[in-house]
Amino acid sequence: MRVVIAGGHGKIARLLERELAGRGDTAVGLIRNPDHVAALTAAGAHPVVCDLEHASVDDLAGHLDGADAVVFAAGAGPGSGAARKDTVDRAAAALLADAARAAGVRRYLLVSSMGVDNAPAAGTDDVWAAYLRAKKAAEDDLTGRTDLDWTVLRPGRLTDDEPTGRITLARSVTPGAVTRTDVARVLVALLYAPDTAGRILELVGGDTTIADAVTHA
């Protein structure tokens, strides 16, 4: 399987790249900064420099040629302001959807976040509120405007702990934490589970193996 990952230098993306490479799949990581090429190569990915905030649909579609699936794991990142939450977390996700359609790539996995269904509570930090709104807007665009075979994954609080391989995965789950490695492994499982298309799934640590959780999601 050839998988193109937007936000290829992110923590989850690099773990996903390692998981895919370990299976013998091809991971292509889209990155904005050429300085990140070596890190992606070390993760077993094929780095492609493409600034999603400035690329056109045609530019991006050219990088998706021959792909079996795309994964949107990009984010403006810590220290970015509210404006970039919109241009990256929302607009770049929509751009990837348009490029996927143009390139004939049907499968699209969007890494979102738990908590986006509800409006930010009063007193929420402005940048965090902008992040949640951008993620929800990205979901709404993907699920409401496109005809792609999409799956939205909403992880809970992310940790860098050792993976457990056991999760809870459903449309709605009790808020909790999940390791980034387990998130990456769930993404791989979803890529190989085409019947999960059309679903929005929340993810936290739990008691069920990843394989069983994805099968019964």
Side-chain angles (χ1 to χ4, degrees):
M1 182 180 291
R2 182 178 181 87
V3 182
V4 178
I5 304 163
H9 188 255
K11 288 184 178 180
I12 289 175
R14 278 179 287 160
L15 291 166
L16 174 57
E17 289 155 4
R18 289 187 185 278
E19 293 290 329
L20 289 169
R23 294 177 57 99
D25 293 320
T26 299
V28 178
L30 303 178
I31 52 176
R32 179 176 59 88
N33 188 344
D35 292 342
H36 295 158
V37 165
L40 264 70
T41 301
H46 299 271
V48 172
V49 178
C50 178
D51 187 343
L52 297 177
E53 291 179 277
H54 297 95
S56 69
V57 170
D58 288 342
D59 290 338
L60 183 51
H63 297 309
L64 307 185
D65 185 49
D68 298 293
V70 297
V71 178
F72 188 85
S80 61
R84 291 202 67 228
K85 301 302 182 190
D86 183 70
T87 58
V88 178
D89 293 271
R90 179 198 62 79
L95 176 71
L96 182 63
D98 290 339
R101 290 189 67 196
V105 181
R106 297 289 311 163
R107 193 74 169 106
Y108 186 124
L109 269 56
L110 173 67
V111 181
S112 186
S113 174
M114 288 184 66
V116 301
D117 276 332
N118 302 315
T124 300
D125 175 78
D126 288 345
V127 174
W128 180 249
Y131 168 79
L132 293 175
R133 285 193 293 267
K135 284 296 187 188
K136 184 61 166 66
E139 288 189 12
D140 290 346
D141 177 81
L142 180 64
T143 63
R145 182 181 64 88
T146 79
D147 60 354
L148 298 174
D149 298 328
W150 53 262
T151 302
V152 174
L153 183 65
R154 296 175 172 176
R157 181 174 56 83
L158 298 170
T159 77
D160 292 318
D161 295 338
E162 289 297 313
T164 67
R166 293 186 173 272
I167 60 168
T168 299
L169 181 71
R171 177 60 184 86
S172 180
V173 305
T174 301
V178 63
T179 76
R180 287 182 170 86
T181 299
D182 282 326
V183 175
R185 291 175 178 174
V186 169
L187 288 169
V188 173
L190 292 172
L191 287 168
Y192 278 90
D195 58 336
T196 59
R199 301 186 191 180
I200 298 174
L201 299 170
E202 296 186 344
L203 168 66
V204 294
D207 299 320
T208 306
T209 65
I210 290 173
D212 283 347
V214 169
T215 296
H216 297 99

